[in-house]
Amino acid sequence: MALAKEIMGSSLIDKSSFVSMSSKVLFNHSFHQENQFLVKPVLVPLQYGKLSVKRAVRGPVAAISEDLIKANSSSNTVPENAVKFKVRAVVTVRNKHKEDLKETIAKHWDAFADKIGRNVVLELISSEVDPKTKEPKRSKEAVLKDWSKKTNVKAERVHYAAEFLVDSNFGEPGAITVSNKHQKEFFLETITLEGFACDPVHFPCNSWVQSKKDQPAKRIFFSNKPYLPSETPAGLKALREKELKDIRGDGKGERKLSDRIYDFDVYNDLGNPDRGVELTRPKLGGKNIPYPRRCRTGRRPTDTDINAESRVEKPLPMYVPRDEQFEESKQKTFSAGRLKAVLHSLIPSLKATISSENRDFNAFSDIDILYKEGLLLKVGLQDEIWRSLPLPKAVTKIQESSEGLLRYDTPKIISKDKFAWLRDDEFARQALSGVNPVNIERLKIFPPKSNLDPEIYGPQESALKEKHIIGHLNGMSVQEALEENKLFVLDYHDVYLPFLDRINALDGRKAYATRTIFFLTPLGTLKPIAMELSLPSVRPNSQSKRVVTPPVDATTNWIWQLAKAHVCSNDAGVHQLVNHWLRTHASMEPFILAAHRQMSAMHPIFKLLDPHMRYTLEINALARQSLINADGVIESCFTPGRYCMEISAAAYKNWRFDMEGLPADLIRRGMAVPDPTQPHGLKLLIEDYPYAQDGLLIWSAIENWVRSYVNRYYPNSSLICNDKELQDWYAKSINVGHADFKHAEWWPTLNNVDNLVSILTTIIWLASAQHAALNFGQYPYGGYVPNRPPLMRRLVPEENDTEYASFVADPQKYFLSALPSLLQATKYMAVVDTLSTHSPDEEYLGERQQPSIWSGDAEIVESFYEFSAKIRQIEKEIDRRNRDPNFRNRCGAGVLPYELLAPSSEPGVTCRGVPNSVSI
């Protein structure tokens, strides 16, 4: 029964005023003879009323069982010769679903070895120090029982037992060491102790325990009781410090895949100079090109350049600390998506089979075929050709079994209205509620001005004039429209212009630096009224800026559509390289590395951040391996090509952590103004701005949860200032992780409750909601390439251009030839399909592993359930908004609802769901 209580969180329930099972709580549990659950037990609050949970006892509790208490009831003291008694541990190990032959052999060898004494050995460590030895009190070592008997159990979780013999004056257990004498690592999920007077003691482990041959030191796991460094019980102080020292490593040597060492390095592994000068890439991070730091791997330098780290290419794995690697179901989901991309990479080698006219889309119907028949038929690879190719058996088998693996799901953007993407209102709507709703700004001055050096990049003045827009302002003057907050802009001029000469010199790449002006209509929707297309000045006073205005005839309609495609391509590049990769993935990594290096697992702030750090190091390592590397997917699929990461680094110069929170960002962009009378302390200038509307609900929920959490452990600011681990975490995040900005004055000071709440809320927002808003709509919006072409191959023709005649003769053909080629498009589609996919093991905002025992502080567990309930309420409010016809940017004929910030999701490509962390 105690085991059932432990796994179902009943120790929490025993202290709670939960009402009867029928009205409040559903328990789903089912037993097996060997205490294995056939169905994973869950605790599901069915209503979201306040859970009343008593405050957790925080003082030391004597480890004396009830029998001993009765036996010694005649005396008020523990006998001098302490009585020994048994304590039982229930150890939960998570099995793999599938094993290769090597793993199966190792498993059976371990089962045999276990019988002859090569066991998994545990030792209990007390929170108290032995007054005689001045060392922590320790139990006798205990062996995990029945490992060999349970070798063939197929359950996902297997429960083992161990028995400790401890003295009655042992005190409260605070840590357990684990030594794995087997050949094979195992995933330790939880340990629960029964037999102490202080209820079951929980140890949420969630970690791989390596074989002693790979990692000789014992693993240390702490109980779920949170302690600030100054509160650490005497028996745990040395262990707390040792564990952190082990995790930091010594900064030397190459990391092994079994290591769990967290360290910093620069981005010096994106190029591959040993394979040719064309694959050389500059080092990102340092004085020359500032950039955030990434996880150190310690690989040897390349032969050609001692400052460049050698590459590890697929399918070999990149190093990340062992516990950061994808779990099995996540790995399976990612690998399935990657197989699609691998198949695409095979196709260019079959160019002999592909006729030249198939290299471009000849008509929009060619794109439709990709969703109906698939890529193979489109490029003329009939079944008999496919079967004759020298491909791995697994690939051909998958192709046959799936009836066209390379057939794509219809993207949402064309699922409700096939031609919506062509319309100006949809083009404008996506600036507020598409996959990149974070670049739209209020236009503060007209014409807009550049901030680039005019000595290098020419005149700062825009070519946009009053005459271009005056006819589209509903009778207002330009000044009136500015003063009444009716003009907005997407401005990519300064991002792209410094790189255009180099980009446009690349084979098959053409780009402008664009600005688009929008007018806010009385209905609350935006209307594009002018686009400026800029190229670098060839000579002083030469015409390098062109303004395109709404069409008046067939020819200008096609010019307008081409200009929009270039704006969307600019938008797609900034979205991917700056807003998505740099501002969520790359900028988060230093905070994660520093958290592991500087904060103990028992630190309350580490416990708060833990779910928001899951998988980020792994997905970032995979990105370095095959997405953002030289000749990788990003360079292949986006207009800037080999200069993609330099554009990302140039944008980092304008990155400011204090502007990354949602309210600060909205105010910075002029999309909101401070207003203390409003629920979130600000007023949106476009009320129907779905990303901001929904985002503010989530931001406030996160902020309230973080504030209640911080107030629990830091009732006054001096505790924050004197918390060495917390201060070291923040200092290392800045001084090492964002070292190129360590002297910036805009970093918030970590010296009071409000600043700590703001810092933590910003980090959790970026990891969860901001990343979700920018990531999970990539295939739904970008999977139809004409809607958001990641790459453009032709400029907009002018009347004196040689190609103008061919444009006028067949404008559709010209338009399609300006878009990515068939192979470029399908490669991009395969990748964004993978990136937009939720895996089955995704954890969404408001969820946690072991929700009732992740913290030993019952008051905090209660607060987390309240936060979870708030997130569910927000989801209902988002659903309501998506049905409200007054919100035209998310509701209407053929209009996609805005669900990218709806917290929950099913697995797959759903265009919704807010995971806790940057996990894909």
Side-chain angles (χ1 to χ4, degrees):
M1 185 59 195
L3 174 65
K5 278 185 179 182
E6 176 261 311
I7 298 182
M8 289 159 52
S10 295
S11 57
L12 170 69
I13 294 159
D14 290 345
K15 299 173 187 166
S16 309
S17 59
F18 277 75
V19 297
S20 69
M21 183 165 138
S22 60
S23 64
K24 277 270 186 180
V25 181
L26 169 67
F27 291 140
N28 177 10
H29 62 284
S30 182
F31 291 88
H32 176 300
Q33 284 184 349
E34 293 184 344
N35 285 333
Q36 289 169 39
F37 286 98
L38 299 176
V39 180
K40 185 180 175 183
V42 290
L43 169 64
V44 186
L46 294 182
Q47 297 173 13
Y48 296 110
K50 185 171 180 181
L51 309 181
S52 173
V53 183
K54 293 177 187 174
R55 184 167 177 162
V57 177
R58 301 197 66 181
V61 182
I64 305 175
S65 68
E66 289 178 18
D67 292 342
L68 286 170
I69 291 169
K70 288 174 188 171
N72 292 290
S73 57
S74 58
S75 170
N76 290 326
T77 58
V78 176
E80 213 171 285
N81 296 322
V83 180
K84 301 274 188 188
F85 70 102
K86 285 183 181 177
V87 173
R88 184 167 180 261
V90 178
V91 178
T92 303
V93 172
R94 191 192 304 159
N95 271 343
K96 273 190 164 186
H97 295 294
K98 287 188 177 179
E99 294 174 333
D100 58 30
L101 181 61
K102 187 177 174 184
E103 289 173 321
T104 303
I105 291 168
K107 181 175 78 172
H108 288 291
W109 172 253
D110 284 343
F112 170 74
D114 196 81
K115 290 180 181 177
I116 57 172
R118 294 185 61 174
N119 315 103
V120 175
V121 179
L122 286 71
E123 185 181 34
L124 265 185
I125 299 171
S126 173
S127 300
E128 298 177 8
V129 169
D130 187 317
K132 293 177 183 174
T133 65
K134 308 298 183 192
E135 293 288 322
K137 297 176 183 176
R138 294 174 182 265
S139 72
K140 292 277 193 287
E141 288 188 340
V143 169
L144 215 56
K145 295 179 179 178
D146 296 333
W147 189 282
S148 57
K149 287 183 183 176
K150 296 183 178 182
T151 297
N152 294 318
V153 170
K154 299 297 182 192
E156 184 180 5
R157 288 170 178 79
V158 181
H159 304 286
Y160 300 93
E163 284 190 347
F164 298 98
L165 202 61
V166 297
D167 292 340
S168 54
N169 61 0
F170 183 79
E172 184 177 5
I176 293 178
T177 64
V178 181
S179 183
N180 176 14
K181 296 180 182 178
H182 293 164
Q183 292 289 306
K184 191 169 171 273
E185 65 177 6
F186 64 87
F187 189 82
L188 180 56
E189 199 167 75
T190 59
I191 301 173
T192 300
L193 296 178
E194 298 169 327
F196 287 95
C198 51
D199 283 345
V201 182
H202 300 290
F203 294 77
C205 306
N206 299 308
S207 182
W208 289 95
V209 180
Q210 299 301 320
S211 167
K212 204 170 177 181
K213 68 180 172 60
D214 294 319
Q215 302 289 343
K218 294 178 179 178
R219 282 297 306 278
I220 304 163
F221 295 100
F222 298 104
S223 80
N224 63 354
K225 287 192 78 170
Y227 293 106
L228 296 178
S230 59
E231 297 174 343
T232 311
L236 303 179
K237 279 183 178 175
L239 283 177
R240 184 171 186 150
E241 289 168 14
K242 181 186 183 305
E243 174 73 350
L244 282 174
K245 188 179 176 187
D246 290 347
I247 280 173
R248 287 183 202 126
D250 60 7
K252 297 174 184 174
E254 183 172 352
R255 299 272 62 87
K256 297 183 299 184
L257 292 173
S258 59
D259 287 346
R260 47 191 291 273
I261 291 173
Y262 296 76
D263 206 349
F264 298 94
D265 208 343
V266 293
Y267 282 75
N268 62 347
D269 63 342
L270 301 181
N272 195 345
D274 289 349
R275 278 184 49 203
V277 68
E278 71 281 359
L279 294 178
T280 300
R281 295 294 179 270
K283 177 184 78 174
L284 305 183
K287 186 178 175 183
N288 292 337
I289 307 181
Y291 212 64
R293 301 305 190 258
R294 49 95 172 175
C295 183
R296 179 185 178 276
T297 66
R299 296 194 303 271
R300 62 173 181 79
T302 60
D303 297 333
T304 314
D305 181 356
I306 196 167
N307 294 314
E309 189 172 88
S310 56
R311 299 266 311 155
V312 171
E313 304 293 358
K314 294 181 297 187
L316 295 174
M318 293 270 277
Y319 170 76
V320 292
R322 181 64 182 98
D323 290 340
E324 305 300 322
Q325 294 170 30
F326 287 166
E327 290 174 22
E328 205 171 358
S329 62
K330 176 79 171 180
Q331 184 62 51
K332 185 179 176 185
T333 303
F334 191 80
S335 297
R338 199 153 70 171
L339 179 58
K340 266 190 191 178
V342 168
L343 291 175
H344 284 88
S345 71
L346 293 171
I347 289 172
S349 65
L350 310 172
K351 283 182 180 172
T353 320
I354 304 172
S355 57
S356 59
E357 64 268 17
N358 271 328
R359 299 190 63 185
D360 285 340
F361 295 109
N362 291 321
F364 287 104
S365 56
D366 287 358
I367 303 174
D368 298 339
I369 288 172
L370 297 174
Y371 312 115
K372 294 173 185 173
E373 299 174 23
L375 175 63
L376 299 178
L377 288 175
K378 175 69 193 80
V379 298
L381 287 179
Q382 307 302 327
D383 286 350
E384 60 274 12
I385 300 172
W386 175 257
R387 291 194 187 97
S388 68
L389 296 175
L391 300 177
K393 283 183 182 175
V395 172
T396 50
K397 194 176 282 186
I398 288 169
Q399 169 61 20
E400 289 163 7
S401 65
S402 64
E403 297 180 357
L405 183 72
L406 301 187
R407 186 171 63 230
Y408 296 86
D409 293 329
T410 301
K412 281 203 170 184
I413 184 60
I414 56 168
S415 65
K416 294 181 97 178
D417 182 348
K418 188 176 177 182
F419 302 107
W421 67 277
L422 279 165
R423 296 198 315 268
D424 288 356
D425 62 287
E426 177 61 21
F427 169 72
R429 188 191 74 81
Q430 288 183 33
L432 297 171
S433 54
V435 71
N436 188 38
V438 299
N439 276 106
I440 188 80
E441 297 179 72
R442 178 170 62 85
L443 189 62
K444 299 177 181 73
I445 57 166
F446 186 87
K449 284 187 76 172
S450 168
N451 292 316
L452 297 174
D453 183 348
E455 293 290 320
I456 302 172
Y457 300 108
Q460 293 178 315
E461 289 71 30
S462 166
L464 286 158
K465 303 289 183 231
E466 190 167 325
K467 66 179 182 180
H468 294 125
I469 66 170
I470 191 68
H472 304 284
L473 304 181
N474 281 16
M476 291 183 185
S477 70
V478 172
Q479 193 56 38
E480 284 174 323
L482 285 171
E483 288 171 0
E484 294 189 26
N485 301 322
K486 298 294 183 185
L487 292 176
F488 295 83
V489 64
L490 281 179
D491 192 341
Y492 298 124
H493 180 277
D494 289 5
V495 177
Y496 278 90
L497 196 71
F499 294 91
L500 283 186
D501 276 334
R502 285 174 284 170
I503 291 170
N504 289 336
L506 295 170
D507 186 30
R509 310 288 170 111
K510 290 291 178 278
Y512 296 98
T514 68
R515 290 188 180 107
T516 307
I517 309 295
F518 297 92
F519 177 72
L520 180 63
T521 71
L523 293 174
T525 57
L526 291 177
K527 178 173 73 172
I529 57 174
M531 286 178 272
E532 181 182 35
L533 311 177
S534 296
L535 292 170
S537 298
V538 180
R539 58 189 182 278
N541 302 316
S542 67
Q543 180 61 42
S544 58
K545 301 175 193 293
R546 176 181 182 184
V547 174
V548 181
T549 52
V552 293
D553 58 22
T555 302
T556 54
N557 185 66
W558 278 105
I559 295 287
W560 180 252
Q561 294 297 345
L562 275 165
K564 284 199 299 184
H566 272 281
V567 170
C568 289
S569 183
N570 269 192
D571 188 78
V574 170
H575 162 259
Q576 195 68 271
L577 303 172
V578 181
N579 301 329
H580 180 207
W581 167 257
L582 171 64
R583 292 173 62 189
T584 63
H585 285 259
S587 67
M588 283 299 299
E589 188 155 348
F591 292 100
I592 294 170
L593 291 168
H596 285 280
R597 286 173 63 85
Q598 308 303 146
M599 285 196 288
S600 166
M602 66 172 84
H603 196 293
I605 300 303
F606 185 91
K607 288 181 180 292
L608 172 71
L609 290 176
D610 189 35
H612 306 292
M613 304 190 287
R614 185 182 189 224
Y615 291 155
T616 304
L617 298 186
E618 169 83 336
I619 193 61
N620 285 5
L622 289 166
R624 298 201 320 275
Q625 187 175 43
S626 57
L627 292 180
I628 63 172
N629 59 304
D631 206 28
V633 169
I634 297 297
E635 289 192 3
S636 302
C637 295
F638 286 84
T639 305
R642 63 176 295 151
Y643 306 109
C644 280
M645 291 307 291
E646 289 181 61
I647 287 180
S648 181
Y652 181 58
K653 292 173 185 174
N654 298 315
W655 179 87
R656 285 181 52 159
F657 180 77
D658 63 328
M659 293 286 126
E660 289 297 283
L662 179 61
D665 178 58
L666 291 171
I667 291 166
R668 178 183 62 83
R669 290 190 283 120
M671 299 303 291
V673 291
D675 184 346
T677 67
Q678 295 291 318
H680 309 290
L682 49 79
K683 180 177 186 288
L684 292 174
L685 297 186
I686 301 178
E687 185 189 350
D688 185 12
Y689 183 5
Y691 159 77
Q693 271 187 317
D694 299 353
L696 286 168
L697 293 177
I698 291 177
W699 171 272
S700 293
I702 294 170
E703 186 178 46
N704 290 338
W705 154 237
V706 169
R707 189 171 296 281
S708 66
Y709 195 98
V710 167
N711 285 339
R712 171 74 167 153
Y713 298 103
Y714 300 101
N716 61 70
S717 295
S718 65
L719 286 168
I720 292 172
C721 296
N722 296 322
D723 184 335
K724 187 176 184 307
E725 286 183 10
L726 183 72
Q727 292 294 335
D728 285 352
W729 162 66
Y730 190 55
K732 289 293 190 293
S733 297
I734 296 169
N735 297 330
V736 184
H738 287 279
D740 305 319
F741 288 151
K742 64 183 175 185
H743 298 304
E745 294 180 359
W746 43 253
W747 286 104
T749 307
L750 186 50
N751 60 0
N752 60 52
V753 167
D754 285 345
N755 282 1
L756 177 56
V757 169
S758 174
I759 290 163
L760 295 172
T761 303
T762 298
I763 287 171
I764 294 171
W765 161 260
L766 290 172
S768 59
Q770 180 77 337
H771 177 259
L774 294 167
N775 184 72
F776 293 102
Q778 288 191 84
Y779 186 79
Y781 281 98
Y784 187 70
V785 168
N787 181 55
R788 286 178 64 75
L791 179 154
M792 293 296 285
R793 295 185 292 155
R794 302 180 86 163
L795 296 174
V796 180
E798 299 195 60
E799 286 189 37
N800 55 354
D801 291 344
T802 53
E803 51 193 17
Y804 190 78
S806 63
F807 159 69
V808 172
D810 192 343
Q812 177 179 280
K813 184 175 181 181
Y814 188 95
F815 183 89
L816 290 168
S817 71
L819 299 182
S821 70
L822 170 69
L823 297 179
Q824 287 169 332
T826 51
K827 183 176 185 178
Y828 172 74
M829 289 159 65
V831 171
V832 293
D833 180 44
T834 302
L835 297 181
S836 304
T837 300
H838 290 293
S839 63
D841 72 336
E842 200 86 88
E843 290 172 15
Y844 297 95
L845 201 60
E847 299 177 349
R848 283 195 74 127
Q849 292 184 12
Q850 293 105 28
S852 60
I853 64 163
W854 65 272
S855 173
D857 187 337
E859 191 170 302
I860 284 300
V861 172
E862 175 193 5
S863 289
F864 180 73
Y865 278 126
E866 289 170 359
F867 169 62
S868 182
K870 183 64 180 174
I871 294 297
R872 302 284 83 76
Q873 287 174 7
I874 289 170
E875 183 150 4
K876 289 177 182 173
E877 172 59 16
I878 290 172
D879 289 344
R880 185 199 68 75
R881 289 174 177 178
N882 283 328
R883 295 191 301 270
D884 187 341
N886 294 313
F887 293 135
R888 288 174 169 82
N889 290 317
R890 64 199 304 163
C891 182
V895 174
L896 290 187
Y898 187 72
E899 297 180 310
L900 286 167
L901 289 174
S904 71
S905 176
E906 297 296 316
V909 179
T910 62
C911 203
R912 61 176 292 139
V914 179
N916 276 324
S917 62
V918 178
S919 59
I920 188 69

